[in-house]
Structure formats: C-alpha cells, structure tokens
Amino acid sequence: MGVREGTGARSIGTGLFTKLHRSIYRAFESESEDAIYNNLAKSVSQKLIGPLYEEVYQSLILRDEGGAISRINRVDYIEVSAIAIENSNDFKISCKWQVHGNVRHWGHSHKRSNEYEADYTLSVENDLWKIASSSVNLQKRVPSPNGK
C-alpha cells in the first residue's frame, strides 16, 4: 500500500479520497441503520463510524426544521488537495465540496445546497484505504443551482 512522494502521490490521494468520501453519502441511501453502518465501514475507519454517522445523519434530518428529511442528489468537489505525510503511507486531505439535494417537510419539497470545508486523514486499515479522521471547519447553506 506504499505511496511515493510527489504529484503522482497527491493525485492518488485525491482520487482515493473522493471515492471514499462519496461512499459516505451513498451509505445513507441504505434501507436500515445496520446497512448504513456496514456501508460506512467500507470507507471509514472503525473508530470514525459512530461519530461520522451522527454527523451526517444530523445534516440529513433537519431537527430545527420540524424533522425535515434531505435526499442527496449530487456531491460536487470544488477543491481537494492531498499531502503525503512524511515517514508514513498516510495522506492529509483538505477538501471543499457542495452537497445538493431535496428537502421534504411541511407538505412540500425544495432544493437545498450546502457547502463544506474539512480536513481528513487517509490511512490503511486492514490492508484497505479508509478515512481515518475528519474535522469539519465550515458548513454553510449556498444558493442551489437551477432555482429555488
């Protein structure tokens, strides 16, 4: 699983990250909580599954808006950078992305987009690349593309 320094390593790191990161959102398309946890386990380290589940679940079930439910349609990556950590196979990832979806509540639905900035670490766990740490630095609502 070793990765060398340089542009190729950074490209590998960003490619690995976006694949694993998208899988987090796809996990929440699962039918049951157990299935969500099992699918998250394919992308994130064991110690991160619980906290990440809560973080993403809270963003999808908007309690401050009467329990509105969000359905994700698309994830757009605005900026992703990877730095190979010295004397390690791990990567530090900085990411800025937008999540676009529909929110259903109070008898209607509308489009909603949020933008995030976060720092991550990618590490090998049981011979597989996983997201090992996550720290969200910014979350804000942004205008949805194509209307309301």
Side-chain angles (χ1 to χ4, degrees):
M1 294 278 152
V3 178
R4 296 193 183 277
E5 279 287 335
T7 304
R10 288 190 294 275
S11 179
I12 290 169
T14 58
L16 284 167
F17 172 76
T18 54
K19 180 181 176 189
L20 294 170
H21 192 256
R22 272 187 209 283
S23 295
I24 293 169
Y25 289 103
R26 277 197 301 273
F28 282 86
E29 295 172 1
S30 303
E31 295 294 320
S32 70
E33 188 174 69
D34 282 345
I36 293 170
Y37 272 87
N38 288 337
N39 286 323
L40 283 174
K42 296 173 186 175
S43 302
V44 303
S45 69
Q46 199 63 35
K47 67 180 169 97
L48 194 59
I49 293 172
L52 197 63
Y53 174 88
E54 288 300 319
E55 182 180 307
V56 175
Y57 182 80
Q58 292 301 319
S59 73
L60 295 175
I61 306 298
L62 307 169
R63 297 194 190 288
D64 59 338
E65 295 188 29
I69 299 171
S70 299
R71 187 97 177 136
I72 295 169
N73 298 328
R74 193 173 84 239
V75 178
D76 293 332
Y77 293 93
I78 298 166
E79 192 176 309
V80 181
S81 64
I83 298 171
I85 299 173
E86 204 170 311
N87 300 319
S88 165
N89 287 329
D90 298 354
F91 288 98
K92 285 286 183 197
I93 306 289
S94 292
C95 185
K96 181 177 184 178
W97 75 101
Q98 290 183 347
V99 177
H100 308 284
N102 293 315
V103 176
R104 212 175 55 240
H105 60 138
W106 298 317
H108 74 284
S109 72
H110 56 89
K111 293 182 185 299
R112 175 163 299 164
S113 295
N114 289 324
E115 186 171 287
Y116 300 86
E117 291 180 18
D119 297 313
Y120 296 90
T121 303
L122 286 186
S123 295
V124 174
E125 181 180 284
N126 299 323
D127 294 327
L128 297 170
W129 284 102
K130 304 272 180 109
I131 295 173
S133 71
S134 166
S135 176
V136 176
N137 304 317
L138 175 71
Q139 175 182 345
K140 65 181 180 181
R141 193 172 307 170
V142 295
S144 294
N146 304 353
K148 19 191 239 185

